[in-house]
C-alpha cells in the first residue's frame, strides 16, 4: 500500500480540480460518503469534479483526513490551511494534523494542509501512516 508520496493524479473540472495521491489514502471514505456522484470507485475515472457544485466538492475534499485528496479552483489559490494548526491523535494512535504544515520526507520538505502521520514508526511510507503497524488499525 505504500506508493511513493507525491505521485498524484489530477482530475480536471470546469470549476474545481481534484488531485488524488493513492500512497496516502487510508480509505476513510469521507469522499464517497460525502459526494458519491463525484467520487465513485465503480466508475472510470473514479473522480468527476464536475459531478457536483465546486464549493461542495472542495468541502468534501477537506474532510479527507490524510490529505490524499486536494483541490484547487482553476482561477484561484490552492486549498488554504486552517489557522491555528490543529494536532490530534485518533484512538488508533495515528497523528492527525491540519494547518499550514511543512512535512520532512525522504523526497524533501512538502507543504501540506492535512496529514495523517505514523504514530508507531512501522509505516513504509514515513512519515505518513500506511496502516502497516499497530497504530494502523489492521
Amino acid at each position: 500500500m505504500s506508493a511513493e508520496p507525491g505521485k498524484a493524479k489530477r482530475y480536471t473540472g470546469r470549476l474545481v480540480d481534484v488531485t488524488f495521491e493513492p500512497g496516502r489514502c487510508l480509505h476513510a471514505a469521507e469522499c464517497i460518503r460525502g459526494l458519491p456522484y463525484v467520487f465513485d470507485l465503480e466508475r472510470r475515472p473514479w473522480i468527476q469534479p464536475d459531478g457536483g457544485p465546486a464549493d461542495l466538492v472542495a468541502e468534501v475534499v477537506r474532510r479527507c483526513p490524510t490529505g490524499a485528496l486536494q483541490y484547487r479552483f482553476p482561477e484561484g489559490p490552492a486549498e488554504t490551511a486552517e489557522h491555528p494548526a490543529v494536532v490530534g491523535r485518533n484512538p488508533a494512535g495515528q497523528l492527525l494534523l491540519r494547518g499550514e504544515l511543512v512535512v520532512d520526507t525522504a523526497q524533501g520538505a512538502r507543504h501540506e494542509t492535512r496529514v495523517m502521520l505514523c504514530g508507531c514508526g512501522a509505516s513504509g511510507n514515513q512519515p505518513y501512516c500506511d496502516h502497516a503497524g499497530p497504530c494502523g488499525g489492521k
Side-chain angles (χ1 to χ4, degrees):
M1 172 184 258
S2 61
E4 180 181 337
K7 299 292 183 185
K9 167 108 171 112
R10 178 178 300 273
Y11 298 86
T12 303
R14 288 184 326 275
L15 301 176
V16 65
D17 296 340
V18 176
T19 57
F20 174 63
E21 194 173 327
R24 289 179 49 192
C25 182
L26 297 181
H27 310 291
E30 292 292 335
C31 56
I32 295 165
R33 280 192 298 276
L35 283 173
Y37 43 90
V38 173
F39 302 94
D40 182 350
L41 294 174
E42 302 300 318
R43 189 177 52 217
R44 293 295 175 257
W46 79 279
I47 299 174
Q48 300 203 7
D50 292 333
D55 58 337
L56 188 54
V57 171
E59 177 187 320
V60 169
V61 166
R62 283 191 300 271
R63 294 180 198 166
C64 174
T66 66
L69 290 170
Q70 298 284 326
Y71 72 90
R72 181 180 200 100
F73 295 111
E75 300 299 322
E79 179 178 340
T80 57
E82 290 185 27
H83 292 284
V86 177
V87 178
R89 185 180 294 270
N90 66 16
Q94 297 149 324
L95 300 170
L96 303 165
L97 294 87
R98 289 178 169 270
E100 194 170 316
L101 311 168
V102 178
V103 178
D104 289 330
T105 72
Q107 294 77 30
R110 292 187 55 175
H111 293 269
E112 305 278 6
T113 57
R114 291 172 281 113
V115 295
M116 184 179 291
L117 300 180
C118 177
C120 66
S123 174
N125 197 17
Q126 288 289 340
Y128 304 101
C129 180
D130 69 358
H131 281 276
C135 73
K138 295 222 175 194

